[in-house]
Structure formats: C-alpha cells, structure tokens
Amino acid sequence: MTGSEVPPQFRLAYVPGVTPTKWVRIWNERLPDVPLTLVPVSPAEASGVLRAGGADAGLVRLPVDRTELSAIPLYTETTVVVIPKDHVVAAVEEISTGDLADEIVLHPLDDTLDWESLPGRPAIERPETTADAIELVAAGVGVLVVPQSLARLHHRRDLTYRPVTGAPESRVALSWPEAETTPDLVEEFIGIVRGRTVNSTRGRRQGPAGTPEASKGKRPDKAAGAARKTAKPASGKNARGGSGGAKGAKGAKGAGRAKPRRGR
C-alpha cells in the first residue's frame, strides 16, 4: 500500500433509540479488516450528515429525502406513552390516544412522530429535547408519547410506559446517499441487516449501473425465484410426457412380441 492509498473504512450514522450493536458485531466478524465507525446523529441532522458525506450509511427514521438518499425500511416501532409509575394509566396494559384527552401531553421540539393532531392538552411551552420532556414527566408536569426505543433509552426507575393505539408510528430505515462512493461496503451492510448468510452476501449481484439491486428495495434472488417457480410446472409436464412416451414404447414392444405367438 502506497502512502496515497486510504485503507477502507465504513462510517455508520445512527439516531437515538436505534441500537446497531448486533449488526456491528456481525460486520466485525465478516470484515475484520474494515473498521466500522459509529456516528451518533440527531434525527434532524441525519439526512444532512449523509448528504454531506459525513457517513457512508445511516440508521435513520423515515421519511428521508428520496431525491438524494436511498432507503430500505427495516422495522416499525411501537408507540408508547411515558408516565410516572403511580399514574392511573399504569394499571392497564394498553391505552388509546382518546384516553389522553385530559392529560397534558408534552411535545418536544425533537419529536420523531408525525402528528396530525396531538392528543390531550398542550403544555405552556414545548421542551427542547425528549430528554427534557422525560424530566418533566418525572416531575409530574405531563406525559410523553414516543417510540418505544426512546422510552427505553431514557429509562428511569420512577417512570414506566404503556403502548398507545391510534398514534403515529416511527419507521426505522437504512439510508445512504445515491452517489455513494463505496457501494460494495454499503451492499455488505445491507446484506447484514437483511440477515443474509456470509456466502450470499459475498455473492451479491449488481444492478444495471453497478448499483446493488437491494438498493432498489428488491431482493437479488427474487427474479431467479420467479423463474424457478415458472419452470416447475413445465418440468412436471415434460416428465409426465416422457412417462407417457415410455408407456407407448413399452406397449409397442409388447405388441411386437405378440405377433410371433399369433403366427404359431
């Protein structure tokens, strides 16, 4: 390696609440010579970091700007309400947004949920961050509706949470710039988050312009699977046809043996 060559590396941005630990461990097992660096970002700055080249890919919350970024949805989170442990809601397993009508529902400026209409009564001021809102919940000022991962991230012994129906949900996705300069490494990580085996990841196929087919939201083996499915009936028909032909040949052979007997 000359002095001008830069060793490969992979920078993965991630937003609060997302836990990339499992995927990082698999990466380190499969690509021990390619360091993976984690880049913590806020939901508001995640897209900008990816567009500016501050990370090769990111675990972000949807939506993202699809004109400049590609994205593969990974999972949808449960939405919960964070409450004091002695709150009346703690006595039930699940509530609806309508059950919060009489509650002061805090709405932090970094809220990750896309509300059309916030339930309950608004607070006098919006907290700056989710962490600030958690402190207010602990102080008995109000309640907070967030994705479950954020409730776990800001866990406190004096607080608990319950699932909320009728509330927006947060979707987590793997996103990367359209003009990604290290497509092979991005494809490697796509394979990891999708649960591909080592062999299938290394045997990835490229799309028309060298773009991984997975970046289009399609599994590389989908077309092949469809082809195999189409081929099965034809194969079975040919097999039946071959069997019929064999029976015909056997019958003809038997008829050939019968003629000498009739001659006698």
Side-chain angles (χ1 to χ4, degrees), residues 8-12 20-37 56 182 184-192 201:
Q9 62 173 324
F10 188 72
R11 298 161 301 163
L12 179 67
T21 307
K22 175 184 176 181
W23 297 322
V24 172
R25 175 179 55 78
I26 296 174
W27 176 280
N28 291 333
E29 291 173 353
R30 295 186 183 180
L31 293 93
D33 297 330
V34 182
L36 188 154
T37 303
D56 300 299
T182 55
D184 287 346
L185 295 182
V186 172
E187 177 66 10
E188 289 287 355
F189 197 77
I190 290 172
I192 288 172
T201 299

Side-chain angles (χ1 to χ4, degrees), residues 3-147:
S4 60
E5 293 179 338
V6 178
Q9 62 173 324
F10 188 72
R11 298 161 301 163
L12 179 67
Y14 69 101
V15 297
V18 176
T19 307
T21 307
K22 175 184 176 181
W23 297 322
V24 172
R25 175 179 55 78
I26 296 174
W27 176 280
N28 291 333
E29 291 173 353
R30 295 186 183 180
L31 293 93
D33 297 330
V34 182
L36 188 154
T37 303
L38 291 174
V39 182
V41 295
S42 70
E45 66 184 3
S47 293
V49 169
L50 291 174
R51 285 195 297 265
D56 300 299
L59 297 169
V60 303
R61 297 185 187 277
L62 295 176
V64 298
D65 183 2
R66 293 300 185 100
T67 61
E68 297 184 49
L69 301 174
S70 297
I72 297 176
L74 299 179
Y75 59 88
T76 300
E77 289 196 80
T78 299
T79 303
V80 302
V81 58
V82 181
I83 50 176
K85 279 192 172 180
D86 59 356
H87 195 284
V88 63
V89 170
V92 299
E93 294 184 358
E94 181 181 89
I95 66 168
S96 68
T97 53
D99 295 326
L100 299 173
D102 297 329
E103 300 287 343
I104 293 177
V105 179
L106 301 168
H107 190 202
L109 295 176
D110 65 352
D111 186 15
T112 60
L113 299 176
D114 185 18
W115 293 98
E116 290 186 4
S117 178
L118 197 70
R121 297 181 293 136
I124 297 175
E125 294 183 1
R126 294 184 63 182
E128 188 74 21
T129 66
T130 297
D132 294 336
I134 291 289
E135 294 295 330
L136 293 175
V137 174
V141 174
V143 301
L144 175 65
V145 180
V146 291

Side-chain angles (χ1 to χ4, degrees), residues 133-192:
I134 291 289
E135 294 295 330
L136 293 175
V137 174
V141 174
V143 301
L144 175 65
V145 180
V146 291
Q148 183 171 299
S149 66
L150 290 180
R152 289 175 173 172
L153 177 65
H154 297 287
H155 171 71
R156 291 174 50 124
R157 290 184 178 181
D158 53 348
L159 300 180
T160 187
Y161 58 84
R162 293 292 183 271
V164 181
T165 61
E169 295 176 321
S170 174
R171 293 190 299 157
V172 174
L174 174 65
S175 182
W176 66 95
E178 285 281 1
E180 176 58 61
T181 57
T182 55
D184 287 346
L185 295 182
V186 172
E187 177 66 10
E188 289 287 355
F189 197 77
I190 290 172
I192 288 172

